[in-house]
Amino acid sequence: MEKAALLEAIIENAIDGLITMDERGIIETINPSACKLFHYSADEIIGQNISTLMPQPDRAFFESYLFHHRKDGYLNGFGMPRELVGIAKNGRQFPLRLGFSQVKYSGRIIYAGFIHDLTREKDAEGKLQDHTALFEEQIEERTRSLRTNVSTLQKSQDELNLSLDKEKELHQLKSRFVSIASHEFRTPLSMVQLSASLIDSYSETMDRINIKKHVVKIKEAVLNITAILNDFLSLEKLDLGMVKPDISTFNLYEMASELAQEMQIALKGNQKIIFKHRGSDKMVNLDQNLLKNCIVILIDNAIKYSGSDSQIYFYTKVNEKNCTIRICDNGMGIPESDHKHLFQAFFRAHNTGKISGNGLGLSILSRYTGLMNGTVNFSSKINKGTLFTLTFPLNKNHEQKNTDY
């Protein structure tokens, strides 16, 4: 009797809910904790099916669970605690853990159910999940901020590197300018000084032949300096955006033919300029002065870097879509390693030696060509000559002429 009383006292004062039911799920006993949990009195709940304390779909699941256990006599995992949802008398639903044990008593089977309210645990778990989600969101936000800062820092670093590269390039450009300008100016100025001294000497004896010879040298030196200054001025105007193409319609054949004749005075030794126009049409829409400057630069280079017995080929061609100008020589050629730098201002190929030049011609040529929407292409091999090709798209508004020259 004492043990029975002790057991009853333990059940009545247990923190968790305790329920006994028959094998159909009909509640036979319920302790105060279970009554308090579901807000039922013992009289209200005893005799009811335990599924009454569960909402759907847990109610249907539990009824099916008991049915199969009663039918088969055994279910794998029976008695293991399961998390379900309970429903109180007032309709409040809450999470619970329900575990069963099977007891054989007085020739029948009784199920003892142990019910534990999971509300606090689930609330704590939900808060933990909320905090975790908030923490992850904060981490993600800080990660995005860090990525943005890193990206900004990288962009600033790239801009700084670009600025440093431009500064370095500008410094190298200035160095090349000083070196080339001092060399190119020194030679003709020395010639002027020497010729002036000799003229002064020859004037005492009235040696007109030598005086005239040195006057010519002074004029040539002045023209050379003027040409150099003109190149510098052209480059400055291009940098300032002051050069604008003045498009007009003109006869390319006539302009090129006259230019080929004018350039004869610049030839050295037995050099020859061979000019030929191809195509029936000769009219183009371009800036005549810019185009003429481009051709002069190329022919002048061909003369300068070719031997005294060489031939310089000058071709022009006009078709329906574009016009092309080709200047070809069989001179010293351009080293392959210098090809990528060829159109940079003040750059000169490494094999030019003592041949005079300021390294501006091809840079100006490239920019003049670009102003007329043209392109420059070249091919060159050491000691086998160089071919330059200028190509310009045409928007021709004039009538085609079929006159052959």
Side-chain angles (χ1 to χ4, degrees):
M1 292 294 292
E2 291 182 359
K3 290 183 178 180
L6 176 61
L7 181 59
E8 184 177 354
I10 291 173
I11 293 172
E12 290 294 317
N13 292 282
I15 297 175
D16 287 339
L18 297 174
I19 293 178
T20 61
M21 59 184 178
D22 63 16
E23 55 186 346
R24 293 179 303 166
I26 304 302
I27 298 173
E28 295 182 348
T29 63
I30 183 170
N31 74 338
S33 291
C35 290
K36 183 179 180 181
L37 186 60
F38 290 98
H39 296 282
Y40 284 105
S41 66
D43 293 338
E44 289 177 314
I45 201 64
I46 291 174
Q48 299 292 327
N49 194 290
I50 192 172
S51 62
T52 305
L53 303 177
M54 304 173 193
Q56 294 290 6
D58 287 356
R59 176 183 297 181
F61 165 77
F62 195 77
E63 289 175 345
S64 175
Y65 191 78
L66 282 179
F67 172 78
H68 286 292
H69 183 267
R70 187 168 62 249
K71 178 182 176 182
D72 300 333
Y74 173 77
L75 278 178
N76 186 27
F78 180 81
M80 295 294 294
R82 296 178 181 273
E83 290 189 6
L84 302 170
V85 176
I87 183 168
K89 183 180 179 180
N90 59 7
R92 182 182 73 89
Q93 296 185 13
F94 59 92
L96 58 83
R97 182 183 296 112
L98 178 61
F100 280 96
S101 61
Q102 180 177 297
V103 180
K104 290 184 179 181
Y105 180 74
S106 298
R108 67 192 187 96
I109 294 176
I110 298 175
Y111 298 126
F114 305 89
I115 304 170
H116 178 70
D117 185 4
L118 294 176
T119 301
R120 290 185 178 180
E121 287 88 336
K122 292 298 181 180
D123 287 345
E125 183 179 324
K127 290 180 180 179
L128 179 60
Q129 290 177 349
D130 291 341
H131 285 304
T132 300
L134 179 60
F135 183 61
E136 290 177 349
E137 184 178 346
Q138 290 176 343
I139 291 177
E140 181 62 27
E141 179 63 29
R142 292 183 180 181
T143 301
R144 286 196 296 268
S145 178
L146 181 61
R147 287 173 181 167
T148 301
N149 292 336
V150 169
S151 178
T152 303
L153 183 62
Q154 183 63 48
K155 184 178 179 181
S156 299
Q157 183 66 41
D158 292 342
E159 291 175 352
L160 179 60
N161 289 338
L162 181 61
S163 178
L164 289 174
D165 289 342
K166 287 184 177 179
E167 186 68 25
K168 183 179 179 181
E169 183 180 350
L170 181 60
H171 177 72
Q172 292 175 344
L173 192 65
K174 289 180 178 178
S175 297
R176 291 202 300 268
F177 168 76
V178 172
S179 176
I180 291 174
S182 62
H183 177 269
E184 290 301 308
F185 283 135
R186 185 184 297 114
T187 301
L189 287 175
S190 297
M191 180 63 67
V192 169
Q193 184 180 24
L194 176 60
S195 294
S197 299
L198 290 173
I199 287 173
D200 185 52
S201 174
Y202 293 140
S203 65
E204 295 179 359
T205 60
M206 298 301 292
D207 188 345
R208 294 182 178 275
I209 296 176
N210 282 317
I211 290 175
K212 186 176 181 179
K213 180 176 68 174
H214 287 287
V215 167
V216 171
K217 289 184 178 180
I218 289 175
K219 290 180 178 180
E220 290 176 350
V222 171
L223 289 173
N224 191 12
I225 293 175
T226 302
I228 296 171
L229 291 175
N230 285 337
D231 284 345
F232 290 160
L233 183 60
S234 296
L235 183 64
E236 182 182 16
K237 287 182 177 180
L238 284 166
D239 289 338
L240 294 175
M242 296 173 61
V243 181
K244 304 295 182 182
D246 182 14
I247 304 300
S248 63
T249 301
F250 61 94
N251 190 305
L252 177 63
Y253 169 80
E254 290 180 358
M255 185 272 283
S257 180
E258 291 175 4
L259 190 57
Q261 291 298 320
E262 292 173 4
M263 294 298 293
Q264 296 290 334
I265 61 173
L267 295 174
K268 59 186 182 182
N270 296 320
Q271 287 181 335
K272 293 180 180 179
I273 297 177
I274 299 175
F275 169 71
K276 184 175 183 180
H277 179 80
R278 296 175 178 175
S280 58
D281 193 16
K282 299 172 179 63
M283 304 302 291
V284 295
N285 291 311
L286 294 169
D287 186 312
Q288 187 169 356
N289 288 329
L290 293 185
L291 183 60
K292 187 174 181 179
N293 286 335
C294 291
I295 296 172
V296 169
I297 289 170
L298 291 178
I299 294 180
D300 185 62
N301 281 350
I303 293 171
K304 187 185 300 182
Y305 300 114
S306 299
S308 58
D309 294 322
S310 61
Q311 292 182 332
I312 298 164
Y313 298 93
F314 175 20
Y315 299 131
T316 58
K317 181 179 180 180
V318 180
N319 58 29
E320 291 292 333
K321 296 181 179 180
N322 53 48
C323 82
T324 55
I325 295 153
R326 294 184 178 183
I327 310 294
C328 180
D329 64 61
N330 53 6
M332 64 174 60
I334 304 166
E336 187 174 351
S337 59
D338 291 337
H339 286 189
K340 60 183 178 180
H341 304 293
L342 200 59
F343 298 104
Q344 295 177 4
F346 301 110
F347 178 81
R348 303 196 68 208
H350 290 84
N351 62 336
T352 54
K354 296 182 180 180
I355 300 174
S356 63
N358 55 35
L360 291 178
L362 291 180
S363 176
I364 294 172
L365 160 77
S366 175
R367 298 175 70 171
Y368 280 173
T369 304
L371 288 173
M372 294 183 286
N373 298 319
T375 57
V376 184
N377 292 291
F378 74 96
S379 61
S380 183
K381 291 185 179 181
I382 294 295
N383 298 324
K384 292 187 178 180
T386 302
L387 167 64
F388 275 91
T389 303
L390 308 182
T391 304
F392 300 94
L394 294 184
N395 179 21
K396 300 189 292 183
N397 297 317
H398 62 276
E399 294 183 358
Q400 297 276 343
K401 294 183 179 180
N402 295 319
T403 304
D404 291 328
Y405 288 80

